[in-house]
């Protein structure tokens, strides 16, 4: 393998990592509060609100039903307005974040549902405000499960970012697409695959490790 | 200290309304321990949850420490709840926090300074006897220890009132005793008024001053524990008292038991002492008066609120005529006698 090819692969790997983690971060920034809100407005919860819950739920479902490859294209005007371009890593982060957010919201909602209701009740009985219930009870208690959700999300994002690569997002996906699908260079294609597999294993390993560390149940 | 006035609570399921509580009125005087006893589904859990408005009554008034809670805003209610402690059957400790951090929880809600939290939590943990467990996680504690942490946690905010929702139902008998002793100690030492709900008459007998019996959402009987134990009016109250005094005939006696008298068999009697029974040394009196020897096979006698009550299985040695006279003697002393058979 030539030096330039190694450099290209290293750059691609770095871009994939950046896309995955940065969009994961922004995805959580949007998805976490949405998930918490979905949970809190559920029937029987502290901020029960049917209409609000339905509205959020519908929006989340709509975004979850758009295939990611179409979401990227569909969002181009918005992406351009936000980061000034529709090509490259920066541009890919926008649809990746938006694509991940509703997915994360549902995962967070499910994590919170698993927290025993008695804990929320005890906190209410002690005079905790809804905000205190969220950040002192629900989120810490759901943390191991939220971290597992984060692993799942990041791994999904590795896949999404590769999809983005096909339409000019950069990263390992684009290299795999250009050298593999277009040029049919088996060696490069397989190297890309191995790098992606390693990345996924690493995320899963770290996720499991951290989840176990914070789990005292 | 706690006053519930005409509390009615209805749950709506689809189209039909279920009445969980109907027109419940009760008063818990300051410094007392008040027990509400009832079978599961009787509404006792709903009742105790109405006191701190975890469950909002459909109608009625809830007054705690002179403050009517019904019309408070959610902010005011949160504040009022900080002075109403509550412990639960399943402890409800935060698994993500250590023992220390769990107790600190309610102090954090009030934004108490760190140093004060440190001191207060240490004091509370030694009060409940968990000095050595500061940094353990709840998962490593026994049920009794968990309930002690929960008690320390709820005491942290200096409550005037403590609500116990089946606090000992998930514990074994020995641990139950020790938790009840702790509650009694807290009641005496800190002058905290306690309202507890339970399905076990033993809990009421051990620590309560007053008791109410709840059935199908209504309080059917209430009064001082000694009064209820000595003169239960309703069948349910009698049943609860009897349940705390349940006696089984031992297996080998059961095998020998026959319904009709026989030459080589002796009567097996069950004597039931209630509050009305005359408090006399009856067994020895019977022995003296009728030349009857009694063999106590099994007995459970108890003393609550100044009265003695209980049941006893005795095998009677004597002539048939004298045995009958002995039974009559017991009955005259208001002791309920049942001939279970002959052994």
């Amino acid at each position: 393998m030539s030096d330039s090819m190694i450099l290209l692969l290293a750059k691609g790997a770095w871009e994939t990592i950046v896309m995955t983690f940065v969009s994961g971060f922004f995805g959580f920034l949007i998805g976490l509060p949405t998930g918490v809100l979905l949970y809190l407005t559920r029937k029987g919860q502290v901020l029960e609100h049917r209409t609000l819950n339905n509205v959020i739920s519908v929006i989340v479902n709509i975004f979850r039903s758009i295939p990611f490859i179409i979401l990227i294209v569909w969002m181009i005007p918005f992406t351009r307005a936000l980061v000034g371009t529709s090509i490259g890593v920066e541009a890919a982060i926008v649809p990746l974040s938006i694509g991940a957010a509703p997915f994360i919201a549902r995962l967070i909602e499910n994590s919170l549902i698993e927290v025993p209701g008695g804990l929320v009740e005890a906190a209410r009985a002690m005079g905790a405000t809804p905000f205190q219930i969220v950040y002192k009870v629900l989120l810490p208690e759901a943390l191991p499960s939220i971290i597992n959700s984060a692993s799942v999300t990041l791994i999904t994002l590795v896949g999404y970012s590769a999809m983005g690569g096909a339409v000019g997002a950069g990263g390992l996906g684009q290299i795999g697409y250009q050298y593999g699908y277009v040029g049919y260079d088996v060696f490069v294609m397989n190297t890309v695959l191995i790098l992606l597999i390693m990345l996924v294993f690493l995320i899963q390993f770290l996720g499991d490790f951290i989840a176990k560390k914070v789990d005292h149940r | 200290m706690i006053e519930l006035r005409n509390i009615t609570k209805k749950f709506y399921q689809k189209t039909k309304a279920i009445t969980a509580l109907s027109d419940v009125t009760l008063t818990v005087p300051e410094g007392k321990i008040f027990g509400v006893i009832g079978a599961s589904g009787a509404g006792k859990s709903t009742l105790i949850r109405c006191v701190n408005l975890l469950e909002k009554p459909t109608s009625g008034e809830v007054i705690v420490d002179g403050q009517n809670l019904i019309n408070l805003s959610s902010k005011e209610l949160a504040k009022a709840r900080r002075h109403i402690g509550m412990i639960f059957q399943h402890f409800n400790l935060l698994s993500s926090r250590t023992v220390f951090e769990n107790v600190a929880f309610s102090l954090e809600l009030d934004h108490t300074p760190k140093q004060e939290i440190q001191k207060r939590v240490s004091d509370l943990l030694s009060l409940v006897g968990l000095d050595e467990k500061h940094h353990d996680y709840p998962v490593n504690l026994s049920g009794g220890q968990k309930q002690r942490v929960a008690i320390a946690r709820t005491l942290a905010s200096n409550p005037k009132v403590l609500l116990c929702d089946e606090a000992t139902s998930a514990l074994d008998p020995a641990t139950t005793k020790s938790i009840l002793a702790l509650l009694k100690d807290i009641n005496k030492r800190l002058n905290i008024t306690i309202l507890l709900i339970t399905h076990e008459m033993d809990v009421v007998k051990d620590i309560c001053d007053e008791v109410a019996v709840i059935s199908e959402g209504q309080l059917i009987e209430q009064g001082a524990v000694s009064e209820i134990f000595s003169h239960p009016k309703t069948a349910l109250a009698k049943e609860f008292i009897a349940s705390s005094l349940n006696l089984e005939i031992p297996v080998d006696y059961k095998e020998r038991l026959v319904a009709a008298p026989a030459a080589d068999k002796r009567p097996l009697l069950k004597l039931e002492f209630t509050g009305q029974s005359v408090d006399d040394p009856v067994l020895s009196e019977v022995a003296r008066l009728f030349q009857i020897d009694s063999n106590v096979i099994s007995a459970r006698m108890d003393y609550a609120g100044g009265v003695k009550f209980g049941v006893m299985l005795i095998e009677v040695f004597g002539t048939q005529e004298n045995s009958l006279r002995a039974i009559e003697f017991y009955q005259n002393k208001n002791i309920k006698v049942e001939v279970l058979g002959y052994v």
Side-chain angles (χ1 to χ4, degrees), chain A:
Chain A
M1 202 180 341
S2 65
D3 281 356
S4 66
M5 184 49 81
I6 292 176
L7 210 67
L8 186 72
L9 284 168
K11 186 169 169 271
W14 174 245
E15 282 175 350
T16 295
I17 291 171
V18 168
M19 278 190 282
T20 303
F21 282 88
V22 173
S23 56
F25 172 78
F26 284 112
F28 261 87
L29 216 57
I30 307 166
L32 185 74
T34 312
V36 169
L37 209 56
L38 269 174
Y39 173 80
L40 288 180
T41 53
R42 278 173 76 93
K43 193 171 181 290
Q45 290 306 329
V46 271
L47 297 178
E48 180 176 341
H49 197 297
R50 254 197 127 127
T51 323
L52 188 60
N53 188 279
N54 285 339
V55 169
I56 304 171
S57 194
V58 165
I59 294 172
V60 164
N61 286 346
I62 288 173
F63 272 88
R64 286 196 65 189
S65 19
I66 304 175
F68 184 64
I69 198 100
I70 293 173
L71 185 75
I72 300 175
V73 180
W74 188 67
M75 280 189 62
I76 283 177
F78 177 74
T79 308
R80 244 189 219 138
L82 206 65
V83 294
T85 173
S86 62
I87 303 170
V89 173
E90 262 175 71
I93 286 172
V94 178
L96 281 173
S97 305
I98 300 294
F103 181 62
I104 294 169
R106 283 292 183 209
L107 288 175
I108 296 285
E109 184 192 14
N110 281 328
S111 301
L112 297 183
I113 289 170
E114 283 168 29
V115 174
L119 296 182
V120 175
E121 186 161 81
R124 283 175 66 207
M126 281 187 272
T129 61
F131 183 61
Q132 284 173 326
I133 290 175
V134 170
Y135 84 97
K136 281 186 180 293
V137 179
L138 289 172
L139 293 180
E141 285 296 313
L143 193 59
S145 144
I146 289 175
I147 286 168
N148 283 328
S149 305
S151 317
V152 172
T153 307
L154 289 173
I155 288 168
T156 308
L157 280 171
V158 171
Y160 278 8
S161 78
M163 239 188 268
V167 289
L172 287 173
Q174 186 162 1
I175 298 170
Y177 175 74
Q178 276 173 1
Y179 289 79
Y181 184 73
V182 180
Y184 208 75
D185 182 332
V186 177
F187 182 73
V188 175
M189 190 165 62
N190 286 341
T191 314
V192 164
L193 281 183
I194 289 167
L195 285 172
L196 286 174
I197 290 168
M198 277 163 58
L199 183 57
V200 167
F201 269 71
L202 188 72
I203 291 170
Q204 188 66 59
F205 174 78
L206 283 177
D208 288 347
F209 179 77
I210 300 171
K212 208 176 156 193
K213 259 271 179 319
V214 299
D215 193 353
H216 300 290
R217 284 174 295 185

Side-chain angles (χ1 to χ4, degrees), chain B residues 2-4 24-28 34 36 47 195 212 219 222:
Chain B
I2 303 174
E3 214 183 324
L4 300 180
V24 168
T25 296
L26 70 80
T27 306
V28 184
F34 193 106
V36 176
L47 173 70
L195 174 63
L219 295 188
Q222 60 178 309

